[in-house]
Amino acid sequence: FLQSYNVYLGAVSSADSILENLNARNESVVSFSSFFDSSGKEIGNSLPAEARQLKVTKAEGSFNYQMAGYNYLVVVQPSAAGDFSLGILIREANLQRGLNILLTVALLLLIICFAIFIVMFILLRKWISDPVNKVLDAMLQVRNGDLSTRTDIESSVEFALISDSFNDMVRSINDLTIGIYEEKMERQ
């Protein structure tokens, strides 16, 4: 119930009708659910006859329970609004099916991440390594005496600037070399 000034708002419903809706909506995961009072006894009759002797002795947590040849995980959560707890029984097979789905999704995500890593590696190589290698190759040609070497890199603004600066530097070196050569020729 909610209280606002002297007005109380709320609803009264049987535990069985609430649990019937809860069980119908979560049928694929939760096998059974029920409310338990503070002594651990079931409130209502939503559990099968074999589970009616089930007593929730823990206030909160989980434990295993065997019924009709199947293993169940019992999860109990006390209510913050009253002196009762909600307990759910999840069949072990349902948990395993959910874990298999989780494992499949995790492996699929791992494969997708690996593919993204490979694509990013190829793109980074194209955007960074290739232009740097072009400049390094041109530098080696200049070092070996080929002053006619020029670079033409336009993959990004930064590399275009480096390319233009390199070309200007080689042009200046070439002009200085020609100037020094001409000066030597005039002296002879």
Side-chain angles (χ1 to χ4, degrees):
F1 289 99
L2 294 172
Q3 178 184 1
S4 177
Y5 300 103
N6 289 333
V7 178
Y8 291 89
L9 300 171
V12 176
S13 180
S14 72
D16 288 337
S17 66
I18 293 171
L19 292 169
E20 188 176 301
N21 286 329
L22 181 65
N23 288 333
R25 289 184 182 177
N26 297 313
E27 199 172 277
S28 63
V29 178
V30 176
S31 300
F32 306 103
S33 59
S34 189
F35 290 109
F36 297 90
D37 63 17
S38 60
S39 67
K41 292 182 184 173
E42 181 186 15
I43 302 171
N45 291 312
S46 67
L47 293 178
E50 307 92 39
R52 296 245 167 82
Q53 73 272 10
L54 174 67
K55 279 197 171 189
V56 177
T57 55
K58 290 179 152 186
E60 179 179 357
S62 62
F63 57 93
N64 292 323
Y65 182 72
Q66 189 166 19
M67 173 178 61
Y70 296 108
N71 291 325
Y72 291 87
L73 175 67
V74 180
V75 180
V76 179
Q77 180 65 43
S79 170
D83 196 17
F84 62 92
S85 299
L86 173 64
I88 59 171
L89 282 77
I90 305 170
R91 199 164 149 189
E92 193 174 272
N94 291 354
L95 285 175
Q96 289 175 347
R97 183 176 46 234
L99 289 175
N100 287 338
I101 292 170
L102 181 64
L103 180 63
T104 303
V105 169
L107 286 174
L108 186 63
L109 284 175
L110 181 66
I111 291 169
I112 290 170
C113 287
F114 187 70
I116 289 172
F117 173 76
I118 290 173
V119 168
M120 290 303 296
F121 178 77
I122 291 169
L123 289 176
L124 284 176
R125 180 181 168 106
K126 181 182 178 201
W127 291 334
I128 296 173
S129 296
D130 289 349
V132 168
N133 285 335
K134 285 181 183 178
V135 171
L136 289 175
D137 288 342
M139 289 173 134
L140 286 174
Q141 289 176 355
V142 169
R143 189 174 104 192
N144 291 331
D146 184 5
L147 296 178
S148 65
T149 301
R150 299 292 182 265
T151 59
D152 185 28
I153 303 170
E154 296 180 6
S155 61
S156 69
V157 173
E158 292 83 5
F159 280 118
L161 181 64
I162 289 172
S163 177
D164 290 343
S165 297
F166 176 80
N167 291 337
D168 289 344
M169 179 188 69
V170 172
R171 197 173 297 111
S172 296
I173 292 172
N174 192 28
D175 290 345
L176 285 173
T177 304
I178 291 172
I180 291 173
Y181 179 75
E182 287 175 353
E183 195 175 297
K184 275 187 182 179
M185 293 301 282
E186 286 177 7
R187 285 188 196 160
Q188 289 181 353

